[in-house]
Amino acid sequence: MLRFQVLSRHLAPGHGHGQRAGSVRPHCCAAGAAPQAGSWAAEPVVVVHGLRTAIGKARRGSFKDTTPDELLSTVMQAVLNDVKLNPRDLGDICVGNVLQPGAGALMARVAQFLSGIPESVPVYCVNRQCSSGLQAFINIVGGIRNGSYDIGLACGVESMSRRTAGDPSSLGDVSSRMMDNEKARDCLIPMGITSENVAERFGISREKQDAFAVNSQHKAAKAQSTGVFGAEIAPVQTTILDEAGNEKTITVTQDDGIRASTTLAGLGKLRPAFKENGSTTAGNSSQVSDGAAAVLVARRSKAIELGLPILGVLRSYAVVGVPPDVMGIGPAYAIPAALEKAGLTINDIDVFEINEAFASQALYCVEKLGIPMEKVNPNGGAIALGHPLGCTGTRQIVTLLNELKRRGRRAYGVVSMCIGTGMGAAAVFEYPAN
C-alpha cells in the first residue's frame, strides 16, 4: 500500500539522525489502498473562510473565566457573518474537543444555538487528542466528498482553565490487562516524558530546544506587533474576575502567551519540568491554553455558485501511527505520507505549520525531513501562542491559509501535529491566488 511504502522507506534504518537499526518501526493506519497522487483534486473541497479567538493562558489569562461554548459561539458567528452565509445553508458542524465530557457534545450544541445557527443544522464532536481540530475539518470534508452536503463548519475549542488534561478520570474505563501489554502501557506515559524520550533517543540538546523556543517567541512577537494576526482573530467580549472577585468586561483581541523579551539566557535558567536532569522545560514546551477556531468548508462548485471566496484548497491528508513512548515524532511520518498523496515534495511547500507541542519533537521532525527552518511556523507556534488541545488543528489551518494569502501568489502549505498515544496527522493545502 502506498502509505506503508512511504513510511517504510522513511523509517528505514539510518534514515536521518544516524538512527540505530530497529529503533523506530512503522505503525501505519492504512485501511485499503491509498488514493493516487492528484486524486484528491477530482472533487475539490475548499476553505471559504476561517477565524480564531485570541489564545489565552489557562487559569490566569484572558479566558480563565470564560466557558468553551462562549469561545466557540464567537468564532462560529463571526465566520458566517463575515461571508454573509445563511446558517441554514450549513449541512453539518463538527467540533474538535479533548477535555469536555463526551468530547463536548452538549457544549457544542449550546454554542451553536448561542451563535444563532438553527436547530435544523446538526452538530457532533470528535476527539483525536491534539489533532481534534484538524480531524473535525477532515470529517466535514468527508461529508462533502461523499455527497451528504455541500457546505459545513469545522471547529475546534478547548478551555484548559476549566478542564485539566492530567485528570485521572479522563483516562476512562480500561482493562487492567493494559499493564501487561507494552504498547498499551506506554499510552500512559506523560507527554513531557515522551518529549524527554525523543530528546534522548535522537540527540536533541537542551541548547537546541531553547534556541527553537526563543525563535518561536520572537517570530510570534513580530507577527503580533505588525498586525499579522489581525486578519485571523475574532474579538471576544467576555468577563473576567480580578483577585478581589470583582467582575470586569473586556474585549480580547491579542494572544496572551507571546513573550517578546524571551532570551536564550533566560530560558537556560529554567529547571527541567518533567525529569531530573532532563531538557524539557516550561519555556521550550507548548503553553496550556484556552481558545477556539472555526473554518467554513465547501464543495468548490457550491462556493462559486454562492459567490463565496476561496481561501484554500485541500490537496491531501494522512494520519499514521508511531510508538506511543515517542509520540512527538508523528509529523515526521505523516507529512511524507500526505505529500506523496498530493504528488508534492518537501521542496514544493512554502510554509509548514507544525504544532510545537515540545521543541524536542518539533525539531526532530524538521531535521528528519530536511525542512528549511525559515519555512517552519513563520509567525511562531504553540510554544509562543499556546496549545488549546481541541482548537489547535483548526487554528493552524486559519493561520496557514492567511499566511499563504499574504504571499499573494499560488502557494502550498502543510498543517501537521503529533498526537498523544502515538500518532501523527498532516494535511496539504493550496492557496490558489485567484
Side-chain angles (χ1 to χ4, degrees), residues 137-175:
F137 171 77
I138 292 300
N139 285 10
I140 291 296
V141 169
I144 292 171
R145 289 177 66 85
N146 70 28
S148 296
Y149 44 83
D150 290 326
I151 304 178
L153 192 62
C155 310
V157 64
E158 206 71 68
S159 172
M160 300 183 78
S161 292
R162 297 276 172 158
R163 298 277 170 171
T164 304
D167 183 352
S169 66
S170 66
L171 296 176
D173 301 313
V174 293
S175 167

Side-chain angles (χ1 to χ4, degrees), residues 311-313 315 344 348-351 400-401 403-414 428-433:
L311 183 60
V313 182
R315 288 307 181 199
L344 299 170
D348 294 319
I349 304 303
D350 297 273
V351 177
L400 172 72
L401 292 179
E403 175 60 27
L404 295 183
K405 180 181 180 180
R406 275 188 290 276
R407 301 188 177 207
R409 57 175 173 78
R410 185 183 182 190
Y412 292 97
V414 167
V428 180
F429 294 87
E430 176 188 355
Y431 174 67

Side-chain angles (χ1 to χ4, degrees), residues 11 14-27 182-183 186 189 192-206 208-209 275 278-280 322-330 333 360-361 363-364 367-368 422:
L11 288 163
H15 186 99
H17 281 283
Q19 177 178 315
R20 68 183 184 275
S23 61
V24 180
R25 296 181 183 275
H27 295 270
E182 180 185 2
K183 293 300 180 184
D186 284 351
I189 296 175
I193 298 300
T194 71
S195 172
E196 295 287 1
N197 291 345
V198 170
E200 292 172 12
R201 193 171 302 180
F202 302 108
I204 310 297
S205 70
R206 166 73 182 268
K208 287 176 69 174
Q209 293 174 60
K275 181 179 180 180
S279 60
T280 301
V322 298
D325 65 327
V326 286
M327 67 90 205
I329 66 176
Y333 308 130
S360 62
Q361 56 81 209
L363 267 169
Y364 168 80
E367 293 181 355
K368 178 82 171 178

Side-chain angles (χ1 to χ4, degrees), residues 245-306:
N246 299 312
E247 193 174 90
K248 177 183 177 182
T249 300
I250 60 173
T251 300
V252 184
T253 60
Q254 290 198 329
D255 302 308
D256 286 349
I258 299 173
R259 298 184 293 270
S261 60
T262 301
T263 65
L264 199 57
L267 291 187
K269 296 175 182 178
L270 297 178
R271 295 179 179 179
F274 303 101
K275 181 179 180 180
E276 187 176 358
N277 299 319
S279 60
T280 301
T281 71
N284 59 36
S285 304
S286 59
Q287 300 180 42
V288 178
S289 311
D290 308 322
V295 173
L296 186 62
V297 190
R299 191 183 308 279
R300 185 180 351 218
S301 59
K302 191 66 173 180
I304 293 172
E305 175 190 329
L306 296 178

Side-chain angles (χ1 to χ4, degrees), residues 372-384:
M373 194 60 75
E374 63 270 17
K375 291 186 175 184
V376 179
N377 302 343
N379 299 309
I383 289 173

Side-chain angles (χ1 to χ4, degrees), residues 102-248:
L106 171 63
M107 175 273 301
R109 187 68 163 168
V110 170
Q112 168 189 346
F113 293 143
L114 294 179
S115 65
I117 299 173
E119 63 186 31
S120 58
V121 177
V123 64
Y124 71 106
C125 295
V126 63
N127 178 359
R128 200 197 280 266
Q129 297 99 325
C130 298
S131 72
S132 297
L134 177 59
Q135 188 63 55
F137 171 77
I138 292 300
N139 285 10
I140 291 296
V141 169
I144 292 171
R145 289 177 66 85
N146 70 28
S148 296
Y149 44 83
D150 290 326
I151 304 178
L153 192 62
C155 310
V157 64
E158 206 71 68
S159 172
M160 300 183 78
S161 292
R162 297 276 172 158
R163 298 277 170 171
T164 304
D167 183 352
S169 66
S170 66
L171 296 176
D173 301 313
V174 293
S175 167
S176 61
R177 290 197 308 116
M178 75 176 296
M179 303 309 293
D180 300 325
N181 182 292
E182 180 185 2
K183 293 300 180 184
R185 190 170 62 247
D186 284 351
C187 291
L188 295 178
I189 296 175
M191 294 298 97
I193 298 300
T194 71
S195 172
E196 295 287 1
N197 291 345
V198 170
E200 292 172 12
R201 193 171 302 180
F202 302 108
I204 310 297
S205 70
R206 166 73 182 268
E207 291 71 26
K208 287 176 69 174
Q209 293 174 60
D210 284 351
F212 183 88
V214 169
N215 196 28
S216 180
Q217 289 285 357
H218 289 177
K219 288 186 291 186
K222 180 179 179 181
Q224 187 176 68
S225 66
T226 57
V228 164
F229 295 135
E232 65 187 65
I233 293 179
V236 179
Q237 187 175 73
T238 188
T239 57
I240 191 169
L241 299 178
D242 62 22
E243 293 182 358
N246 299 312
E247 193 174 90
K248 177 183 177 182

